[in-house]
Structures are given as C-alpha cells and as structure tokens.
Amino acid sequence: MEILVCVKQVPDDSVKIGLNASGAPAIDGVTMVANAFDTYALEMATRLKEANEGTITVVAIGPEKAKDALKSCLAVGASKAYLVSDEGLENMDSLATSYVLSKAVSKIEELNGAKFDLVFCGKETTDCTTGMVGPELAERLGVGCVTGIVDISLKDGGISVKQETEEGYNTVETAIPAVVTVNKPEYDPRYPTMKSKMAARKIPIDVITGADLGLEADKTAPAVKVTALSEPPKKQAGVKINEKTFEDTMAKAMEVLKEAKVF
Amino acid sequence: MYILDDEAKDLLATVKEFCEKEVKEQCKEFDVSGEWAEEMYAKAGEMGLNAIEVPEEYGGIGISKITYAALYEEMAKADAGFFTTMAVTNLALKPLIIGGRKDLAQKAADILIGGGYGAFCLTEPMAGSDASNNKTVAVKDGDEYVLNGRKCFITNGGIADFYIVTAMTDKSKGVKGMSAFYVEKGTPGLSVGNEENKMGIRTSNTTDVVFEDMRIPASALIGNEGDGFKIAMQTLDMARAVMGIGAVGVAQRCIDEAVAYSKQRITFGQPIGKFQAIQFMIADMEIKTETARQMSLHALQLQEEGLPYGKESAIAKCYAGDIAVEVALDAIQILGGYGYSREYPVEKLLRDAKIFQIYEGTNQIQRTVISRAVMGKF
C-alpha cells in the first residue's frame, strides 16, 4: 500500500501567539513544529502500514526550514520525504495549497514510480484552521474523501473508517484511492527512538520547485483576501456568588440563572 | 552550556520533549507513592533511553559522552530517580566491556536496546565505602561457581534483567580475591530482598539482592579470578562524571523553579526577583551549577580522549553532589513557605539532591580519591 501524508510546518500550538505592531501574528522566535493533526494522520497511516505493509511518503510545502518537520516524520514511520519549495508559495490560501498539492501528488507518483492508494491529511492546521485543504485536494484528484476520521482499516479492497462528528460517529466505507483527513484518535503519536531520529537525519529530502510541477501562477495566487486579523476577545470575568451559607449560595445562583433566562 | 552538533541537538530536543510530557509531572505521583512508574519506563525503553551509552559496535547509537551527558541532564531535570534508573542501567554494561567480555557485553547490550535494565551489585551491609569488605562468596564447583551472600542498596535490584555481581573467590587475598560475575534474571538461587523506602529518587527501584546457593556457569566470570575489585573501581571511575551530570540536572531544575517563582511572586510591591538579595542568590546558584556542569563535561572529555580522568571524575561527582544540595536549599529559601510545602516542586529536589553526596562513592570517598591523586603516596 502506497500512502502519502501531507504535512504543514506551523508555529508551536502550545505557545500563545498575539499580533505584532503591524497586525500580523507575532511568530518570531516561536518554534516551528509539524501540525498536530498531521502528526495524528502520520501515526494512523503508520499503524495501517504496520498492519498491512506498504510505504509512507510525506510531503510539505514551505521554506527550507520546513525540512525539520519532514525529518521528524521520517523518524516516526515515513520512509520518503519531499519538500515543495519556491518563491510565491509562501502565503497561499487553501484553494492554492490544494492545487499545488495535487500537482505534487502526480509528480511524486512519477518519482516514486507508483500511484498512491491513500492520501492522509490532518483534519485542519493549528494555525489557519480552515479544514478545507483535504476535501479540495480530493476534488482535484477526482477521488473520494472522508473528513475527521479517528480510525481506519482495510476492507474489501477499499477502506472502512470511523468518522467523528458533532453528534457521534459514522462508519464509512469507500473505495481507494481516496483522501482522508484525520482528527485526534484515541492514541497519541509515538515518540521517535534515538536510533530512528539519527537514521532520519541521513535520509535525503528532495526539493520540488514550482517549475518541476509546471504551476500556473494565477492558480497559486490567493483567492481569499485577508483584510484584517484580530485577537479573540478576552474572556469576561464571571459573577462570583458567595453567600453566607451553601443553601443561600445555591438559591442566589438559581435566581441569577433564571434572570439570565437560562431556563 | 553544552557545545553540541545538529544531530545531538536533535536528540536533545526529542528527550526534552519526552521528559516534559511523560516524566516531569507524572513523577510527582510516583514520588509520593514510591510505586514503579511502569508506563513511563516502558515508553522510555521503547525510545531507547535505556541504551544511550551502548557503543555502536554493540548495536547502540554510539553517541559521544558529551551528547549523552546532555541527554542525562534533561532526564535528571525532569526527575532524578528516572535519571538514576537509566544511568545505572547503562553503567551495568561497563564492567563487561572493561573486563573484555565482548560476548556478555553483546548480550547485555541487546537487553538494554530492547528496553531492559541492568544492576551493579557491589555494596553489602558491611561493605559500602569499604567495598573491599565483600562477604558474598563464590566457590568454584566443577565448571560452575556457587554464590552465597546478600547485596544491599542495589539500584534496579528488583527490575533488572541482568546483574553484575562481585563476590570473594579467595578471601585470603583481600581485594585481590574479589571477582565479578554476570548473572541473568531468573537464575535459580537469585532473589530480590527488601525494597528501600527512600527519602528521594523514589521513582528508582532500590533493593537487596540475595544469592542462596546460586549456581552460574564458570563462563559468567568477568575477566580473571581476582579482577573483580579492579573492574568495579574502574566502572565507578567511569560512571562518576555521569553522576555529576545527574546532580547538575537537579541543580538546574532548582534554578529554573526559583527563577520562575521570583519573577511572579510580589512582595513590597514588586516581584522578589527585582531584589538584589534574590538576584545574588540566583547568581551564586548559577555559578555553582555551571561550574559543576563544566567539570563533569571535562572529566567526560578526558575519557573520550583516552586521557587519565580518575581525579577529575571524582572532583566532578563530589562538587556537583555538594552544590546540588546547596542549590536545592537556596531554591527552598527563595520560595519561602511555599518551598517547604509539598505542593511545590522544590522540597522534592532537596530530597533528590542528597543522594548525589552518597551513592556511587560517598563524597568522603571522592575526597580520598582526590587527595591521593594530589598528594601521592608518602
């Protein structure tokens, strides 16, 4: 089974990021890491590979530094990595990203000499959180897509996946090739071993340029225009109810809730 | 401050992330209960942390001594008991390499790489600093040795997959009658005795190890009969600088906790870190810790270069152990009443720091080693 996992390098999501003086996210000095949902996707793909054989390739679009995210993927399941890197690919929206990725898929298939059976993406990135790249990529590749999956297995020549929704879970079966986007599964991504970390450093990461992909400039230009960014409003302080007795406190709380028409 | 190449930095970042997410907070609970942190240790074993000192020729990662020192400091910063388990496991491989037993070293290395543990059984109830006073005996019987005796304060005693055991093969010869043996878990006659309820490093396992008519093949002898004391002393010489790094890890954690607290604790209208009294305490803590770190790294670098390192290792272990206790006391002082409370992390650091003045040769023994090296025989 040939698997591709799409990975984006993003600012460490455990760091609180505000806006700088010019109104852009203040990410200078923040460690760049592989997007958390992409690491879940890679772990799920790796477990699928371990249960059924196959190889995993990872791809990222980004600057030279994004190789760090790919190297970390090579230490925990992936065996090949490609970086799509070129001027003009820095601030793409999801539509442009899916366009470049779809071109990269064909190019990597050509380089690997094999078609991908499955493409894994995180369900969203922790920096932009659009959740659109996976489905758009599937559309461009002309294959099926299941979003927000938390489990996957092979079934009858296709796949059976557990999809998490706001109401509960769906079990979806579909043919392959397909694109899946991954939510947080029940397990955590594995840690690299000391040995795999050192071995990953020795695997070459090939860089694919815009020219290699034959990109059309107008399709990499963002269709979405960001007019302004703002920080989420600060949480308002709550109402403290602390009457003399526990009974009085409860009675007061019920009164407040009633006034607020909570019930 | 370590001077590391990109590969070493990469490994350090991985170990740091693991320690932050899987060790630091989890150990609080195990420090109270004294229970074995099974899941945490299993994950560490899978990562290969049990085997960071295994040379490449035995299938290990073959990293430099400075690199593994950096990794050990990170482990000790998160929890000194965790560090102790890992460092002693790696230590137990050394006597086999020193004794020239490549076959046994390979067996032990495979165990460590697979996530297993080793133990080094030298200390006995009447043979601590006076290690030559071993009472455990090994009697040759055909192509076997029969061992009888009791070891105490053995790190990893209850969890080890293999043991390095010293025993007297000829009592009349004193230290030259001591021999060292390789013993695998499950050997009939080998049993685990009392588990110590310790003041600190409570996430490490410390027990008695008992031998009752334990029969092992003659091929389990490391080196020749009579080499045991020499092998044990060389092992401790090599391991001391690593213990220095463990103490440095505890001291660094003390600084980190004290600095964080002094920036947010307000008294007399400003953070206490704005007062020179606190600033100077922090500076003194840093002077001691960085000095201990560099001394330990120097001792390791001497080893790496094949130069004599006995005195320097003793200085590193002794100084780092002493300052870890001082720095932990200072951290408690900076945190005041909160520092004395078990709600805050620094009282544990003092309990953990104290062991570094005791194990792997007390600091009194280190001073004996150092003064002998300086003064010579006269």
Side-chain angles (χ1 to χ4, degrees):
Chain A
M1 164 148 297
E2 291 291 323
I3 299 171
L4 179 71
V5 181
C6 304
V7 177
K8 184 181 181 186
Q9 195 178 40
V10 296
D12 186 348
D13 58 309
S14 65
V15 178
K16 194 172 178 242
I17 293 166
L19 298 177
N20 61 21
S22 54
I27 54 169
D28 280 355
V30 177
T31 312
M32 299 298 280
V33 297
N35 171 43
F37 289 102
D38 300 343
T39 66
Y40 306 149
L42 177 60
E43 178 62 31
M44 192 180 285
T46 303
R47 287 173 182 232
L48 186 70
K49 177 194 83 171
E50 286 169 348
N52 303 282
E53 293 190 352
T55 56
I56 298 175
T57 303
V58 282
V59 64
I61 304 171
E64 184 74 15
K65 274 301 278 177
K67 278 187 177 175
D68 291 345
L70 292 172
K71 273 182 197 153
S72 67
C73 296
L74 288 168
V76 286
S79 51
K80 285 181 207 165
Y82 294 95
L83 176 69
V84 179
S85 194
D86 219 330
E87 279 178 29
L89 303 182
E90 294 91 9
N91 294 307
M92 295 190 294
D93 59 11
S94 60
L95 206 60
T97 302
S98 65
Y99 165 68
V100 176
L101 276 177
S102 69
K103 290 284 196 181
V105 168
S106 310
K107 183 70 189 172
I108 295 167
E109 284 178 337
E110 187 190 316
L111 292 168
N112 284 358
K115 294 264 180 196
F116 288 114
D117 301 298
L118 276 170
V119 177
F120 281 75
C121 302
K123 75 156 186 162
E124 62 194 27
T125 51
T126 52
D127 59 349
C128 294
T129 330
T130 67
M132 293 194 290
V133 171
E136 286 171 359
L137 175 61
E139 182 69 21
R140 291 185 188 277
L141 295 174
V143 299
C145 181
V146 192
T147 56
I149 72 167
V150 290
D151 199 9
I152 188 167
S153 58
L154 298 185
K155 192 176 181 190
D156 304 332
I159 51 169
S160 173
V161 301
K162 185 177 175 186
Q163 179 187 44
E164 189 174 312
T165 71
E166 285 183 6
E167 286 81 31
Y169 299 99
N170 294 325
T171 299
V172 182
E173 290 174 12
T174 181
I176 54 174
V179 173
V180 291
T181 77
V182 177
N183 202 344
K184 170 80 180 74
E186 279 177 15
Y187 44 79
D188 290 317
R190 70 195 63 193
Y191 287 96
T193 68
M194 296 289 97
K195 226 169 207 177
S196 69
K197 194 82 189 167
M198 288 169 76
R201 295 183 56 83
K202 298 193 176 90
I203 301 174
I205 297 173
D206 290 333
V207 176
I208 299 172
T209 64
D212 293 336
L213 298 179
L215 297 178
E216 296 168 43
D218 59 328
K219 289 193 177 165
T220 58
V224 174
K225 194 179 166 199
V226 177
T227 52
L229 289 169
S230 61
E231 290 181 33
K234 290 219 165 57
K235 206 177 155 192
Q236 299 290 321
V239 180
K240 268 193 188 154
I241 304 168
N242 196 7
E243 301 296 305
K244 274 183 188 155
T245 67
F246 174 71
E247 287 76 12
D248 288 351
T249 304
M250 279 311 291
K252 183 77 191 275
M254 297 307 276
E255 209 175 288
V256 171
L257 290 174
K258 208 169 173 185
E259 268 173 36
K261 293 199 166 55
V262 173
F263 48 78
Chain B
M1 174 73 187
Y2 290 83
I3 300 170
L4 301 172
D5 62 18
D6 285 348
E7 181 181 77
K9 283 181 192 163
D10 230 14
L11 294 178
L12 180 60
T14 305
V15 172
K16 193 181 170 88
E17 186 190 356
F18 177 79
C19 288
E20 283 286 328
K21 287 187 180 164
E22 307 285 346
V23 181
K24 200 171 160 184
E25 292 303 312
Q26 287 80 345
C27 280
K28 284 182 186 168
E29 182 193 329
F30 297 104
D31 173 57
V32 174
S33 70
E35 281 169 21
W36 181 245
E38 193 151 7
E39 199 186 329
M40 174 186 88
Y41 278 116
K43 283 184 184 173
E46 278 171 28
M47 275 185 81
L49 299 187
N50 300 25
I52 61 171
E53 291 186 50
V54 178
E56 217 165 357
E57 60 176 302
Y58 294 104
I61 53 174
I63 52 177
S64 72
K65 295 184 196 305
I66 301 295
T67 304
Y68 64 63
L71 306 186
Y72 276 138
E73 182 178 334
E74 215 47 62
M75 294 181 210
K77 250 164 75 183
D79 181 68
F82 177 64
F83 156 80
T84 299
T85 305
M86 296 301 159
V88 171
T89 285
N90 279 279
L91 177 155
L93 178 62
K94 295 185 197 297
L96 299 167
I97 297 174
I98 292 168
R101 286 300 299 271
K102 284 195 168 182
D103 54 335
L104 295 177
Q106 188 60 61
K107 263 187 169 181
D110 290 344
I111 289 171
L112 303 191
I113 291 165
Y117 305 92
F120 180 66
C121 308
L122 172 67
T123 300
E124 296 185 5
M126 290 305 291
S129 290
D130 184 11
S132 61
N133 195 31
N134 262 210
K135 299 291 182 210
T136 298
V137 289
V139 178
K140 188 98 183 267
D141 180 20
D143 55 0
E144 288 180 322
Y145 281 97
V146 184
L147 271 72
N148 277 287
R150 172 180 285 267
K151 300 287 178 178
C152 66
F153 301 132
I154 303 304
T155 301
N156 298 342
I159 55 150
D161 297 280
F162 74 92
Y163 299 81
I164 304 299
V165 180
T166 57
M168 304 306 291
T169 40
D170 187 348
K171 279 187 179 173
S172 67
K173 289 184 181 166
V175 292
K176 290 192 174 155
M178 190 190 285
S179 302
F181 300 91
Y182 173 85
V183 179
E184 286 195 349
K185 182 176 84 174
T187 302
L190 169 72
S191 62
V192 177
N194 173 52
E195 183 179 348
E196 297 297 334
N197 185 10
K198 304 190 295 296
M199 168 186 179
I201 55 165
R202 290 173 57 78
T203 52
S204 74
N205 169 274
T206 314
T207 71
D208 283 5
V209 177
V210 184
F211 318 109
E212 291 165 301
D213 292 329
M214 180 181 74
R215 286 183 171 271
I216 50 173
S219 61
L221 174 71
I222 305 164
N224 297 312
E225 275 193 18
D227 286 352
F229 190 73
K230 195 175 75 187
I231 290 172
M233 291 305 114
Q234 284 179 4
T235 300
L236 292 175
D237 258 4
M238 287 176 87
R240 270 173 194 148
V242 165
M243 290 302 143
I245 285 295
V248 167
V250 175
Q252 185 60 52
R253 176 75 181 278
C254 291
I255 295 173
D256 295 348
E257 296 291 347
V259 167
Y261 182 82
S262 63
K263 283 183 179 173
Q264 52 97 4
R265 170 66 173 173
I266 309 285
T267 55
F268 306 104
Q270 60 179 342
I272 61 168
K274 293 273 184 194
F275 296 111
Q276 207 173 45
I278 300 293
Q279 291 168 357
F280 281 14
M281 282 177 82
I282 301 278
D284 283 335
M285 291 159 80
E286 180 69 17
I287 290 168
K288 290 171 182 173
T289 305
E290 187 62 37
T291 306
R293 181 183 289 120
Q294 294 311 322
M295 192 64 220
S296 302
L297 295 179
H298 176 58
L300 287 167
Q301 192 59 36
L302 289 172
Q303 265 188 57
E304 195 85 275
E305 307 280 343
L307 296 167
Y309 55 84
K311 182 189 74 176
E312 288 75 10
S313 295
I315 294 173
K317 192 267 171 188
C318 183
Y319 182 70
D322 285 347
I323 68 100
V325 172
E326 292 166 19
V327 170
L329 283 167
D330 283 344
I332 292 175
Q333 192 64 24
I334 289 172
L335 269 80
Y338 295 112
Y340 198 66
S341 164
R342 293 210 160 176
E343 290 291 305
Y344 282 74
V346 290
E347 64 81 27
K348 170 181 179 287
L349 297 174
L350 177 62
R351 290 187 285 110
D352 285 348
K354 183 62 197 171
I355 194 61
F356 290 95
Q357 291 182 307
I358 300 171
Y359 71 1
E360 306 261 349
T362 62
N363 280 6
Q364 284 68 34
I365 287 293
Q366 306 305 325
R367 287 178 165 88
T368 303
V369 171
I370 296 161
S371 60
R372 270 187 199 153
V374 175
M375 300 173 76
K377 279 186 184 167
F378 62 94

